[in-house]
Amino acid sequence: MPENDFSLTHHDAPSVEPEPLSIAEFTEKAYLQYSMYVILDRALPFIGDGLKPVQRRIVYAMSDLGLHATAKFKKSARTVGDVLGKFHPHGDSACYEAMVLMAQPFSYRYPLIDGQGNWGSQDDPKSFAAMRYTESRLTHYAKLLLDELDQGTVEWTPNFDGTLEEPECLPARLPNVLLNGASGIAVGMATDIPPHNAREVVDACLQLLRKKTSSVEELCRCIQGPDFPTAAEIVSSREEILECYRTGMGTVRQRAKWIRQGRDIIINALPYQTSGSKILEQLGTQLKHKKLPMVSDIRDESDHEHPTRLVIELGSRRQDPETLMRHLFATTDLEKNYRVNMNMIGLDGRPQVFNLKTLLGEWIEYRLRIVRGRLEFRYGKVKDRLHILQGLLVAYLNLDEVIRIIRFSDHPFEELKSRFDLSDTQCNAILDTRLRNLAKLEEMKIRDEQAELNAEKESLEKPLGSDSALTRLVRNELKQDAEKFGDDRRSIIIERPAAKALSEADLISADPVTVVLSEQGWIRAAKGHEIDGSSLNYKTGDSYLDSAKGKSNELLLTLDSYGRTYTLPAHALPSAKSYGEPLSSYLNPQAGAVFLGLMMGNADTEYLLSTDGGYGIVALLGEITSRTKAGKATLSVPTASKVLKPCPVSDYEGDFVAILTSYGRLLLLPVGLLSRASKGKGLQIIKLGKDKAFQNAERVISIETFREGEGLKIYRGDTYLKLKPGNFDTYLSYDRACRGKPLPRGYRKAGRIERIPNGPHNQ
């Protein structure tokens, strides 16, 4: 080659210099391409057929293998091999798992694959056998996705190596994206579409075809809500379900179904994608940790006849099963929330979150496009066949001439075409006709076929030429398919009260109990209220201090010398048959703290907490309960003051309080004059003084609450002064923070007050 020619060729060659890119630009571009691949080709379904690419390829490959609903089963490994080798060059285990999902009746509302062998169970969906052991074929429902595939309805695209073609989507006759739902996680987005009932979805489509301006609320008169494969109840409110369909996002709550038989609660339907074994494990854990005292036994009686039958045996017929089940719904998977995120790839090829109206409207547009394509494809076939039949009739009308031309002409094709004004297609059809078809009977068959095709042509021209006729055809086909493949709703929608976990106190049996505290801080509990704490045996050097009577599920608190309150588990205390256990084993008090008394009752029970400085508060047990072992700072203790024993208040407006001081003074006040508070030192109850006859300042040495009609005993050593209600006027005051009145001389050195309970023996 001459040098100038080579030079010209060299300069005309395209430049192959690399494009300079920063790492940030390259990474951003690469990640964007990857994310779009995951979104469009892996994780999100297409609105038309409701399938992801791998699902679509599995269904098409099985159809290509002839594995229709009436065919014999074939090994699943064969199907997976075809899918991977022809259309989906990815991992075999992921492909097989996608195939299994479409075959599980507890995962798919309308399964696409009919499986034979072990395809997993609701208890363990991933317990399916290997693909070499299972066999499969398509279900009858899968025909709705495949029947119109070869009728010019969808576009075809080359497979990954360009040797075959695969459909870009399948011509679904029903909105499969709603019927079977979908779930998947892409890059930066996800989808969670719940399954629905075919009859309800078709009714909504018909409503939208009748009235394009139908609102979401009108469509929801047809679609009540999701319809899961399991028969558990949907307990979300109507407004919550409507919000999911208005926005395409939200949550739906599904709750297990149960009945009561004697002492047994029978759970016969679990929420979607819930494992019975996991439920039993959760129940067993609560039972082991004594969180279900009302339950005596848990059993799994599921069998072939009853796929779900979990039995919870109550300890007594008097137990309220409704309360227990509300607790279990809140603490186990017997109730589950399902996220609704109707994110899918629309007809424009872009991912979008659809509300119900937009979703159905776009699917109807897709369906109209599919049906129009099918009719146009058939219309073209009919026209082509009529054209050929017209040429064959010409040949039969001039049979002798046609035979002569074919027999003697050197160029019969051209001569037939010019002699009878035929097209190339017609000439080829005539030349391909066998001698046996030249009989008179064949001419009659052609005329009959021509009449039938002309009638079909007219019937095809109506929907192709009229949008209303096309819509009417689609509406009729939807009704037929719904009648054939539709079924009754499985997930009944019943709005129920929200699940509520029981408090720890509610979970404890309400047995009567007496709790006893010793001087050295040892605590124990005895069943019943007949126990006298002072008559129990104590360790050497220890003695009785205080006791409280209540129920094992009530609050139990103790008060220490720093004014801190502590909460104790009454049901877990050691038996009164032993010495008990030190409070330090349950609590973590400050160094030097001394426990002064017990308080017991429900959250609304009130106690008077006071100091010997004459201050105090009336507090609710529910407000001074401590959540930690270190207790709660409740009563503020002034300098040089000491905390007194807590006193129960049964009626804030009707009870009285008696205060005895170190100067031998007594003051009686209505409790209602004192302040209610959850912390602090409170208001001054009694005014204390310092008399010349005494060396020290006056202090409160004993305080006691009593009810109207009850009497008091003022103790000095073993002797006491008995005050009856009629003798209270001397000491009773309706003004807070005043001085008490002196007791009789013999009781100026009294040490404590004790109330006399009401009763005939105390009169």
Side-chain angles (χ1 to χ4, degrees):
M1 182 182 289
E3 185 178 347
N4 59 343
D5 289 342
F6 174 79
S7 176
L8 179 66
T9 304
H10 176 75
H11 287 300
D12 288 348
S15 173
V16 292
E17 292 184 5
E19 178 187 358
L21 280 176
S22 67
I23 292 179
E25 290 175 322
F26 174 79
T27 306
E28 181 180 356
K29 186 176 180 181
Y31 189 74
L32 182 62
Q33 291 174 345
Y34 165 73
S35 63
M36 291 306 296
Y37 164 73
V38 173
I39 291 169
L40 300 177
D41 279 347
R42 186 184 299 179
L44 300 188
F46 176 59
I47 192 172
D49 56 14
L51 300 177
K52 302 176 186 179
V54 64
Q55 296 170 328
R56 186 179 302 115
R57 287 164 178 165
I58 291 170
V59 172
Y60 174 66
M62 294 183 72
S63 172
D64 199 38
L65 282 169
L67 295 177
H68 299 290
T70 55
K72 290 183 178 180
F73 288 93
K74 190 167 286 189
K75 285 289 184 184
S76 301
R78 172 67 192 278
T79 298
V80 172
D82 264 38
V83 173
L84 301 185
K86 294 180 178 179
F87 310 113
H88 196 73
H90 295 276
D92 59 339
S93 59
C95 178
Y96 181 52
E97 193 165 331
M99 183 178 174
V100 168
L101 192 69
M102 293 189 289
Q104 292 176 335
F106 49 85
S107 296
Y108 257 46
R109 182 65 176 81
Y110 300 95
L112 298 174
I113 294 174
D114 182 11
Q116 187 168 268
N118 178 14
W119 289 81
S121 64
Q122 183 177 352
D123 204 41
D124 187 4
K126 297 201 174 184
S127 62
F128 50 84
M131 68 181 84
R132 61 183 177 274
Y133 299 120
T134 61
E135 297 179 336
S136 57
R137 64 184 179 188
L138 294 170
T139 61
H140 289 283
Y141 174 82
K143 292 176 61 179
L144 293 174
L145 304 175
L146 297 164
D147 269 0
E148 301 170 345
L149 188 59
D150 57 352
Q151 298 179 27
T153 52
V154 296
E155 297 294 329
W156 294 74
T157 184
N159 69 338
F160 63 91
D161 61 3
T163 58
L164 297 169
E165 286 193 330
E166 60 176 311
E168 290 186 352
C169 60
L170 299 181
R173 294 173 62 92
L174 291 177
N176 183 62
V177 70
L178 272 181
L179 301 192
N180 276 321
S183 64
I185 300 174
V187 178
M189 62 180 65
T191 183
D192 289 284
I193 307 170
H196 290 76
N197 184 271
R199 291 175 181 169
E200 293 182 4
V201 172
V202 168
D203 286 344
C205 290
L206 297 177
Q207 167 68 22
L208 201 56
L209 284 168
R210 283 193 300 268
K211 181 183 175 183
K212 292 184 178 180
T213 59
S214 297
S215 64
V216 172
E217 287 74 12
E218 289 176 307
L219 295 175
C220 284
R221 293 173 191 164
C222 303
I223 299 179
Q224 300 299 312
D227 188 20
F228 296 100
T230 57
E233 298 175 345
I234 295 175
V235 296
S236 297
S237 68
R238 182 67 179 163
E239 186 56 35
E240 288 175 325
I241 296 174
L242 276 173
E243 187 63 22
C244 293
Y245 291 128
R246 285 195 199 103
T247 63
M249 303 184 73
T251 56
V252 173
R253 288 182 292 123
Q254 197 181 25
R255 183 178 290 181
K257 287 177 66 177
W258 62 278
I259 58 173
R260 181 172 183 177
Q261 292 182 358
R263 288 172 53 182
D264 294 341
I265 294 174
I266 312 295
I267 299 171
N268 49 30
L270 295 176
Y272 181 51
Q273 294 178 335
T274 298
S275 165
S277 60
K278 185 177 180 181
I279 296 289
L280 288 174
E281 182 181 344
Q282 292 172 336
L283 294 174
T285 301
Q286 292 195 37
L287 198 60
K288 178 181 177 182
H289 292 89
K290 299 181 179 180
K291 296 294 182 67
L292 296 175
M294 66 286 289
V295 175
S296 61
D297 191 22
I298 300 170
R299 301 188 302 275
D300 184 2
E301 297 183 354
S302 305
D303 54 26
H304 219 41
E305 187 177 350
H306 303 95
T308 300
R309 185 179 170 86
L310 306 182
V311 181
I312 301 174
E313 185 178 328
L314 298 175
S316 168
R317 288 179 178 268
R318 292 175 295 176
Q319 299 286 353
D320 181 14
E322 293 281 353
T323 303
L324 171 62
M325 291 306 295
R326 278 200 299 271
H327 169 74
L328 295 181
F329 290 143
T331 57
T332 70
D333 286 345
L334 287 172
E335 177 177 311
K336 290 187 72 174
N337 283 355
Y338 298 93
R339 195 170 66 127
V340 176
N341 180 17
M342 295 200 283
N343 187 13
M344 65 199 79
I345 299 177
L347 296 182
D348 59 358
R350 297 181 179 181
Q352 178 185 340
V353 176
F354 289 82
N355 64 30
L356 181 61
K357 180 180 179 180
T358 310
L359 191 159
L360 291 178
E362 194 152 319
W363 184 85
I364 288 172
E365 180 185 342
Y366 172 79
R367 183 61 192 159
L368 289 169
R369 186 188 303 176
I370 291 293
V371 173
R372 182 177 289 278
R374 184 191 77 200
L375 296 176
E376 288 175 347
F377 178 81
R378 181 58 185 167
Y379 185 75
K381 292 288 185 181
V382 169
K383 282 185 65 178
D384 292 344
R385 182 60 180 166
L386 284 171
H387 182 64
I388 292 173
L389 292 178
Q390 186 179 3
L392 292 176
L393 281 176
V394 170
Y396 277 108
L397 293 173
N398 302 277
L399 187 58
D400 293 338
E401 180 68 12
V402 170
I403 292 174
R404 186 193 65 76
I405 292 173
I406 295 173
R407 185 177 180 186
F408 297 105
S409 175
D410 292 335
H411 304 284
F413 183 91
E414 287 79 6
E415 191 169 339
L416 282 172
K417 183 176 180 181
S418 60
R419 172 71 178 81
F420 299 108
D421 192 21
L422 301 174
S423 67
D424 291 354
T425 304
Q426 290 172 325
C427 289
N428 284 326
I430 292 171
L431 292 174
D432 290 341
T433 303
R434 297 181 179 182
L435 287 175
R436 69 168 66 177
N437 294 335
L438 298 179
K440 182 68 176 177
L441 185 61
E442 291 300 323
E443 179 183 350
M444 296 173 62
K445 288 182 179 179
I446 290 173
R447 291 189 181 277
D448 290 341
E449 184 182 355
Q450 191 177 40
E452 290 178 4
L453 290 176
N454 277 321
E456 184 179 356
K457 181 184 175 184
E458 291 180 7
S459 66
L460 291 171
E461 287 172 345
K462 289 180 181 178
L464 287 173
S466 168
D467 289 341
S468 61
L470 182 65
T471 301
R472 187 162 52 251
L473 175 61
V474 170
R475 190 162 58 238
N476 291 335
E477 290 181 350
L478 285 172
K479 289 179 181 177
Q480 293 170 6
D481 292 335
E483 185 176 349
K484 183 175 181 180
F485 295 99
D487 55 5
D488 295 332
R489 166 172 281 276
R490 296 182 190 173
S491 302
I492 304 301
I493 301 177
I494 303 176
E495 187 174 347
R496 302 276 192 191
K500 181 180 179 182
L502 297 173
S503 65
E504 186 174 353
D506 293 331
L507 290 170
I508 301 166
S509 57
D511 299 322
V513 65
T514 301
V515 182
V516 180
L517 178 65
S518 74
E519 291 278 358
Q520 294 184 0
W522 285 62
I523 194 167
R524 47 186 157 169
K527 292 182 179 180
H529 290 165
E530 297 77 23
I531 303 299
D532 181 6
S534 60
S535 65
L536 297 176
N537 294 325
Y538 292 88
K539 293 170 66 72
T540 304
D542 199 3
S543 61
Y544 170 80
L545 174 65
D546 192 20
S547 64
K549 297 179 180 180
K551 294 182 178 179
S552 55
N553 64 340
E554 289 183 332
L555 294 172
L556 174 64
L557 287 81
T558 184
L559 178 70
D560 74 1
S561 54
Y562 288 104
R564 301 184 72 86
T565 52
Y566 304 82
T567 305
L568 292 161
H571 64 284
L573 295 177
S575 170
K577 295 179 181 179
S578 65
Y579 292 132
E581 294 179 5
L583 279 172
S584 57
S585 63
Y586 296 93
L587 309 174
N588 186 21
Q590 296 182 25
V594 176
F595 295 101
L596 303 172
L598 299 173
M599 298 173 280
M600 196 169 189
N602 55 41
D604 296 328
T605 301
E606 293 180 308
Y607 269 79
L608 170 61
L609 309 181
S610 59
T611 62
D612 65 355
Y615 289 83
I617 61 173
V618 177
L620 294 171
L621 290 189
E623 294 181 354
I624 61 175
T625 300
S626 169
R627 296 182 180 179
T628 65
K629 290 184 177 182
K632 178 180 180 181
T634 301
L635 183 64
S636 298
V637 185
T639 305
S641 293
K642 295 181 181 179
V643 179
L644 299 174
K645 175 183 170 182
C647 302
V649 176
S650 59
D651 182 1
Y652 179 75
E653 298 296 337
D655 281 9
F656 293 86
V657 57
I659 308 103
L660 177 65
T661 75
S662 57
Y663 286 5
R665 291 176 173 269
L666 178 67
L667 176 65
L668 308 181
L669 286 174
V671 173
L673 296 177
L674 310 183
S675 61
R676 275 174 162 164
S678 60
K679 63 184 300 184
K681 75 174 185 178
L683 299 177
Q684 188 176 15
I685 305 173
I686 184 172
K687 183 178 181 181
L688 302 176
K690 184 175 181 181
D691 291 350
K692 295 179 180 179
F694 294 89
Q695 298 295 324
N696 301 313
E698 187 177 17
R699 313 302 296 176
V700 176
I701 59 174
S702 182
I703 190 167
E704 185 67 82
T705 54
F706 60 97
R707 301 176 186 177
E708 187 174 2
E710 292 182 333
L712 294 173
K713 290 180 180 179
I714 313 297
Y715 278 88
R716 179 186 176 188
D718 293 333
T719 64
Y720 61 84
L721 170 67
K722 189 173 183 181
L723 291 179
K724 295 184 178 180
N727 300 327
F728 286 168
D729 292 345
T730 304
Y731 307 100
L732 183 62
S733 173
Y734 289 91
D735 293 323
R736 181 182 50 79
C738 61
R739 293 294 303 273
K741 299 296 183 179
L743 288 168
R745 284 190 178 274
Y747 290 92
R748 296 283 174 89
K749 294 183 179 181
R752 63 186 175 93
I753 308 172
E754 183 180 297
R755 73 183 182 91
I756 304 174
N758 276 326
H761 59 285
N762 292 317
Q763 296 300 321

